[in-house]
Amino acid sequence: MKRRRFLTNVGLAALGSTAIGTLGLFAIQPRRTTLPFAAADNDTRPLTPATPTRVAVVGGGLAGMAAAYELLKRGFDVTLVERSTNLGGRLTGWNVDVNGETMATEHGFHGFFNQYYNLNGLLDELGLRGNFKPVNDYPILFKDKESESFTNTTTLFPFNLLAVVNQAKSVSILDFNNPRGKLYELMRYDPRQTFERLDGIDFKTFCRDINQPMVDTIIEPFAHTSFNQFHQYSTAEGIKFFHFFFLGNPNGMGYDQTIDDAMTSVVTPLTQRLIAMGGKIMAGVEVQRLVEVDGRLAKLELKQPGEIQAQSHSVDAAAIGREWTPFWGSPSDLYYLKRDEQGEVQAISGRCTHMGCPVGQDPTTGGFACPCHGAKYDRHGVPTEGPTQIPLVVMDATPEGERVSITARASGAEIEADYFVLACDVPGLKEIVSQSTLSDAAFVQSVDRLGVADPYIVWRIWLDRAIEPLDVPFYTTSGYRFTDSIAIYSQLQPQYEDWARRHQGSVIELHAYAVEPENVIPEEDIKRIMREELDALIPTLQGATIVYDIYTMQKNFPRWAPGDHAGRPGVETPIDNLFLAGDFLRLDVPANLMEAATMTGRMAANRVLAAEQLRENPIPAVDLVGPLVVG
């Protein structure tokens, strides 16, 4: 027997015996739990409100859709407002014309993990589980060493951890030789103590005293999938991440993928269900501000998507030429001005009507392009490509002597409600709260302190060369300048498999999870480097021609920086009829990514139910503490 295998087996037996002897194998197993209810008499409370009760939900991603669904089931009058033309948030999709063929695309590949209890429960209720298929392998492709593959083996602790170590070629059981060492902190997650002790330390600094092969092979590649830089990521959040995805759940590391695109598999049928249940969907509408009256929210004021927030601006008339010229009214208010042939000033908002990002000028067409989500507009602001169908917003330009006043055309629409759920992403929430006059300064400050992680890139490319079938459709990578994962769409979804078969080609999607500021370089340079990385990852594609591509750089995943936790807002707010939902909130419950979004949507719905003295829904979660937390 090889020495390493011998040491592994000895270590497995020793650690297993220690665990059994000191804590008992049964006692330390991670278990699925259920969150406590607000009231002790929850089971005897009524299900539906006695009088019509209105709820306005802002944001049509998973958090907003989950909240709306739960409240519609219980008889509430729900209006869901979404600034994009489709619901879905980061799951949304749209059609593209690939050299004359219509194909569905989306914001990027998503894995639906086994421990996404709330999300998977929602999919079960909707009868959508048939739209998924399992993926039971989690491979990592390293630039400078042999690849690793972590299959979904036993779920028993500590044997699940030891199985991962046993599979890893460059990690030894000897890495666990110090029970007081930092490595064991991954097994001691506690929602209070872990954040009190470790939230102020970045994960890279924390890991300096851990064996480097363990960090390089397991910890850093997995931590990077949080969309945060390793050196800017809170250690407490990192431990919570590992606890949720691996050590704290009894379901292992397996995940499912959608058979078709996410719109077909999830978003469209869920949207149809919300409408069938009586929900009012207002897509293509943006919230301007919240209106508070006597300490409670009374209504939402609405505006056109992409309309600038501040209502008026003034510019020097001499600065306006015959071509579109950008002007900034504030850090988030971009608009373009030019004079027509008669010398009249034309004004157009520079905020994308998909997600509100600033659009740049497209020198190849003379129009506009959103670098975040791939939306393109012609020189008149009419959409030509990408996820939006709404033109850039026209503004009023009024000469005033040597200056020109630029004014947004306020829509004047409002929504009154009894309860409000803000289920936006971080930029959307911050924008709405900053434009509102709210009485609780501490709440406003907690929202203002929220941040987003470094931008991430999704680049989907259609190539004129086929590749041999690979073992799985998705790979994490490590050691590359940009590429953090790779999805083989021509072996992942039927529409793409069909395209590849007919064209003898392949479709590959490359992801860069968090691009450092120094790596935010021109798009053509990023594409060149990522193409070189693809050629190194799949050498048979060297020299293949790109026949079509979609490149997006987005910046809307939450920042989990050291020290952020204490000031982060939660589901409840100081305004008793306003609740928040989203994957960025402070949660004492271990949950991340899509599960955190769905869970907080359901938690916000429960807060409304509790406020109306109605029966709350049970909300499942992974084990609330790590397997080595005693007491």
Side-chain angles (χ1 to χ4, degrees):
M1 182 181 292
K2 294 182 179 179
R3 179 175 181 272
R4 179 183 172 281
R5 179 69 62 183
F6 172 76
L7 289 172
T8 297
N9 290 338
V10 170
L12 188 151
L15 186 54
S17 298
T18 301
I20 294 171
T22 59
L23 298 174
L25 186 60
F26 178 80
I28 63 174
Q29 293 314 302
R31 290 175 176 82
R32 176 170 169 160
T33 60
T34 301
L35 302 187
F37 300 115
D41 64 343
N42 183 72
D43 291 344
T44 64
R45 289 190 166 193
L47 289 172
T48 58
T51 58
T53 306
R54 303 161 299 174
V55 183
V57 178
V58 181
L62 281 175
M65 288 191 292
Y69 176 74
E70 297 297 338
L71 291 167
L72 285 167
K73 284 197 305 183
R74 305 295 285 276
F76 286 81
D77 181 354
V78 178
T79 300
L80 193 156
V81 181
E82 166 57 39
R83 62 185 171 187
S84 179
T85 50
N86 289 323
L87 303 189
R90 298 190 195 107
L91 274 182
T92 200
W94 60 97
N95 289 333
V96 293
D97 186 317
V98 181
N99 302 326
E101 299 184 49
T102 300
M103 300 189 72
T105 189
E106 54 211 333
H107 283 311
F109 177 83
H110 290 80
F112 292 71
F113 283 80
N114 296 340
Q115 64 272 30
Y116 285 4
Y117 300 142
N118 290 277
L119 177 53
N120 290 332
L122 175 61
L123 297 172
D124 285 335
E125 283 193 39
L126 296 169
L128 299 179
R129 292 303 303 169
N131 294 346
F132 293 80
K133 57 184 177 182
V135 180
N136 293 317
D137 201 358
Y138 198 102
I140 303 178
L141 306 178
F142 294 91
K143 182 179 181 180
D144 53 0
K145 62 181 179 180
E146 194 174 354
S147 64
E148 304 277 10
S149 184
F150 303 104
T151 57
N152 190 23
T153 56
T154 178
T155 59
L156 288 174
F157 180 84
F159 304 105
N160 55 352
L161 179 61
L162 294 168
V164 169
V165 174
N166 198 40
Q167 292 176 45
K169 305 178 183 69
S170 56
V171 178
S172 168
I173 192 63
L174 297 180
D175 294 330
F176 295 86
N177 61 359
N178 179 11
R180 297 181 180 274
K182 290 184 175 180
L183 191 57
Y184 279 79
E185 286 288 355
L186 296 177
M187 308 172 220
R188 297 191 185 106
Y189 171 75
D190 178 274
R192 182 178 61 83
Q193 294 182 9
T194 297
F195 279 94
E196 286 179 354
R197 294 187 297 109
L198 300 173
D199 187 52
I201 303 171
D202 72 82
F203 212 6
K204 185 172 184 177
T205 298
F206 174 83
C207 289
R208 284 177 182 167
D209 296 332
I210 296 175
N211 189 306
Q212 197 61 39
M214 172 68 74
V215 175
D216 294 342
T217 303
I218 297 177
I219 298 177
E220 185 168 4
F222 282 113
H224 214 201
T225 61
S226 70
F227 294 85
N228 280 245
Q229 294 291 342
F230 199 42
H231 65 285
Q232 297 175 334
Y233 189 32
S234 156
T235 294
E237 294 289 357
I239 292 173
K240 174 182 172 182
F241 192 83
F242 275 86
H243 175 83
F244 172 70
F245 277 104
F246 185 58
L247 292 174
N249 81 84
N251 299 95
M253 290 183 59
Y255 65 93
D256 293 339
Q257 67 174 72
T258 58
I259 294 174
D260 293 300
D261 61 283
M263 286 295 290
T264 300
S265 299
V266 179
V267 178
T268 298
L270 178 50
T271 302
Q272 292 170 343
R273 180 65 67 87
L274 295 178
I275 294 172
M277 296 168 71
K280 293 183 285 291
I281 309 296
M282 297 183 66
V285 177
E286 198 167 355
V287 174
Q288 170 75 21
R289 62 173 58 87
L290 312 171
V291 178
E292 181 182 341
V293 178
D294 297 330
R296 287 173 60 87
L297 284 194
K299 61 185 178 181
L300 306 172
E301 293 183 356
L302 306 177
K303 63 187 182 72
Q304 300 176 75
E307 188 177 288
I308 62 174
Q309 286 281 15
Q311 290 299 299
S312 63
H313 302 272
S314 177
V315 300
D316 183 357
I320 305 172
R322 295 288 184 178
E323 301 296 330
W324 286 118
T325 303
F327 292 87
W328 289 90
S330 72
S332 62
D333 281 347
L334 168 67
Y335 51 96
Y336 289 87
L337 305 178
K338 74 171 183 177
R339 294 185 183 274
D340 61 18
E341 294 179 356
Q342 288 74 40
E344 299 295 325
V345 177
Q346 296 180 338
I348 196 170
S349 170
R351 300 180 75 239
C352 180
T353 55
H354 175 52
M355 298 290 282
C357 307
V359 300
Q361 292 169 284
D362 187 347
T364 61
T365 65
F368 305 91
C370 176
C372 302
H373 309 95
K376 292 189 177 182
Y377 307 80
D378 66 15
R379 62 181 64 249
H380 305 292
V382 177
T384 58
E385 294 182 39
T388 186
Q389 303 170 23
I390 303 173
L392 295 176
V393 176
V394 175
M395 304 172 67
D396 291 326
T398 305
E400 296 179 346
E402 295 182 352
R403 300 191 69 78
V404 175
S405 175
I406 311 300
T407 307
R409 298 177 180 177
S411 66
E414 299 176 343
I415 296 178
E416 295 182 349
D418 303 296
Y419 295 95
F420 298 83
V421 177
L422 296 185
C424 321
D425 60 12
V426 168
L429 177 66
K430 293 182 69 170
E431 192 170 79
I432 292 170
V433 171
S434 70
Q435 293 297 318
S436 306
T437 303
L438 301 178
S439 59
D440 195 288
F443 170 67
V444 174
Q445 291 170 4
S446 72
V447 172
D448 185 61
R449 283 193 295 264
L450 290 169
V452 292
D454 287 332
Y456 65 98
I457 293 169
V458 179
W459 188 28
R460 190 176 298 191
I461 56 179
W462 284 250
L463 295 145
D464 67 353
R465 185 179 300 171
I467 59 175
E468 291 295 319
L470 301 180
D471 294 334
V472 295
F474 182 80
Y475 295 82
T476 294
T477 68
S478 181
Y480 293 90
R481 180 174 176 182
F482 286 102
T483 305
D484 291 307
S485 67
I486 178 171
I488 318 299
Y489 266 79
S490 47
Q491 298 174 15
L492 193 153
Q493 294 179 358
Q495 186 183 36
Y496 284 85
E497 293 171 349
D498 176 66
W499 184 92
R501 184 169 52 253
R502 288 186 291 105
H503 293 276
Q504 290 299 296
S506 54
V507 184
I508 312 293
E509 186 174 271
L510 303 175
H511 299 177
Y513 287 147
V515 181
E516 302 91 334
E518 62 270 21
N519 280 329
V520 181
I521 56 180
E523 178 181 321
E524 59 270 21
D525 293 327
I526 294 176
K527 285 182 173 180
R528 174 181 52 79
I529 295 169
M530 293 185 82
R531 178 60 198 271
E532 292 170 356
E533 293 172 346
L534 173 61
D535 289 345
L537 287 160
I538 307 179
T540 56
L541 289 176
Q542 293 178 11
T545 299
I546 297 175
V547 298
Y548 187 82
D549 77 299
I550 301 172
Y551 173 92
T552 63
M553 179 184 284
Q554 306 175 53
K555 193 171 182 180
N556 53 26
F557 267 95
R559 179 190 70 198
W560 301 105
D564 276 358
H565 179 77
R568 193 180 295 275
V571 172
E572 294 185 81
T573 77
I575 302 172
D576 63 8
N577 67 334
L578 171 64
F579 305 100
L580 305 183
D583 60 357
F584 57 87
L585 296 176
R586 185 186 70 251
L587 274 178
D588 294 332
V589 184
N592 294 89
L593 302 177
M594 290 192 292
E595 174 67 359
T598 309
M599 176 184 281
T600 54
R602 300 190 73 225
M603 291 172 71
N606 267 5
R607 299 300 189 272
V608 174
L609 295 173
E612 287 292 300
Q613 299 187 36
L614 300 175
R615 190 181 309 173
E616 293 183 60
N617 294 310
I619 296 180
V622 303
D623 209 325
L624 301 184
V625 298
L628 296 188
V629 173
V630 180

